[in-house]
Amino acid sequence: MPELPEVETVRHGLENHVVGRTVETVRVLHPRAVRRQPGGAAEFETALGGRSLDSARRRGKYLWLSVGEDALLAHLGMSGQLLVGEPGRPLSPHVRIRFTFADGGPDLRFTDQRTFGHMCVVRDGAELPAPIAHIAPDPFEAAYDPAVLARRLRARHTGVKRALLDQSLVSGVGNIYADEALWRAQLHYARATETLTRPAVARLLAAVREVMGAALAHGGTSFDALYVNVNGESGYFDRSLDAYGQEGQPCGRCGTPIRRDAFMSRSSYFCPRCQRPPR
Ligand SMILES: [Zn+2]
């Protein structure tokens, strides 16, 4: 599943390859890909034809293109990709939406094998589309305030990893980066937020920014080959993961084998020695 660094890579690709261009045609090839669009595929197609894509923006795992005062909002889901390429290339059976441009240059294809992702046009959504207005800023936005987040986090009565994954507290932190940040901060995933000291929270939030920043610099993690960036290139951050997916491997700090626990229908990877379980 793409996390913030992967989505940022896609945003950057859209900025380079489609921003500033005028849409000529839009074709929805699978109605599920526009299931959140009021008016369905017909509305989606007519809302964008002939309009210019002005900027590519992101909050957490959502990204949008501003189209005048409106927004073209995208969520990549589990397997969504936005691919830019020569218009004449073969159309894969997983292409759900195709955009062509008035300049006759490279087209844009929303490809999604499992169709958990979707796109929709949000009226007056250029600054912040209404469907994602409840999502908290992510650690790389100007609106992100670590002091406010630290206070809200310590006021919660929940496990620290659950809090990190709660998009109304902070957005963009998924399972991989939560495990990596907790490993760096030497905190067990189930530690109760109200028992965390101020310095521990500061250490954790710094670790979140570090691991996500490192992944951003590498173009995101790509461990399952379903995700590629806007041009079809994979990221390679998976080579430098310390905890996530490392079950049985020696901890990079103390050598104890990394453990995997079931967690919220997924997994948590941690070092049982550096990240002591709460009593
Ligand atoms: Zn360890």
Side-chain angles (χ1 to χ4, degrees):
M1 179 145 185
E3 298 204 31
L4 183 150
E6 289 80 8
V7 176
E8 173 58 21
T9 303
V10 175
R11 190 205 63 78
H12 188 71
L14 292 173
E15 190 166 79
N16 287 339
H17 296 284
V18 305
V19 164
R21 300 173 66 200
T22 300
V23 174
E24 186 169 63
T25 64
V26 183
R27 258 185 71 209
V28 175
L29 301 166
H30 196 304
R32 220 171 112 74
V34 293
R35 62 190 178 278
R36 306 274 173 90
Q37 179 71 53
E43 170 69 20
F44 183 85
E45 291 175 349
T46 54
L48 294 169
R51 300 185 72 188
S52 164
L53 306 179
D54 301 323
S55 66
R57 305 184 185 193
R58 183 186 52 70
R59 169 163 284 193
K61 299 176 199 177
Y62 282 87
L63 54 94
W64 69 96
L65 290 153
S66 65
V67 187
E69 68 282 9
D70 302 328
L72 169 56
L73 178 64
H75 191 265
L76 300 176
M78 300 288 282
S79 55
Q81 303 172 322
L82 286 164
L83 302 174
V84 173
E86 285 313 308
R89 72 194 189 284
L91 202 65
S92 110
H94 302 307
V95 175
R96 305 305 180 207
I97 306 171
R98 179 176 181 229
F99 304 83
T100 64
F101 292 88
D103 58 19
D107 69 0
L108 174 67
R109 298 177 184 189
F110 178 57
T111 301
D112 192 353
Q113 200 176 331
R114 292 148 87 174
T115 329
F116 292 144
H118 65 91
M119 296 183 98
C120 62
V121 177
V122 181
R123 298 289 175 196
D124 300 315
E127 286 306 314
L128 182 61
I132 61 167
H134 64 286
I135 295 176
D138 68 56
F140 300 96
E141 285 184 73
Y144 172 77
D145 184 339
V148 169
L149 174 57
R151 205 162 54 235
R152 294 187 62 203
L153 199 113
R154 293 181 70 226
R156 288 279 165 116
H157 297 275
T158 186
V160 64
K161 184 171 172 182
R162 274 179 192 273
L164 285 181
L165 297 177
D166 181 345
Q167 306 287 301
S168 69
L169 268 180
V170 56
S171 67
V173 185
N175 207 35
I176 299 174
Y177 299 109
D179 281 0
E180 291 296 298
L182 289 165
W183 182 85
R184 283 204 189 196
Q186 302 188 46
L187 291 170
H188 189 271
Y189 64 86
R191 258 294 284 277
T193 48
E194 65 270 29
T195 68
L196 293 174
T197 62
R198 249 178 260 272
V201 171
R203 207 164 70 231
L204 175 63
L205 296 184
V208 166
R209 262 193 75 106
E210 278 166 28
V211 294
M212 295 177 82
L216 276 175
H218 285 103
T221 304
S222 182
F223 57 93
D224 64 4
L226 272 176
Y227 173 79
V228 288
N229 74 17
V230 79
N231 276 326
E233 297 162 25
S234 293
Y236 55 90
F237 185 61
D238 53 327
R239 290 183 175 278
S240 52
L241 293 172
D242 288 306
Y244 185 86
Q246 307 300 307
E247 185 179 15
Q249 297 297 314
C251 166
R253 232 176 350 240
C254 74
T256 305
I258 297 290
R259 251 182 67 183
R260 181 177 68 87
D261 281 0
F263 178 83
M264 289 172 75
S265 77
R266 287 188 286 175
S267 298
S268 272
Y269 295 90
F270 66 103
C271 171
R273 185 164 171 201
C274 298
Q275 299 166 266
R276 295 268 186 207
R279 298 201 238 179

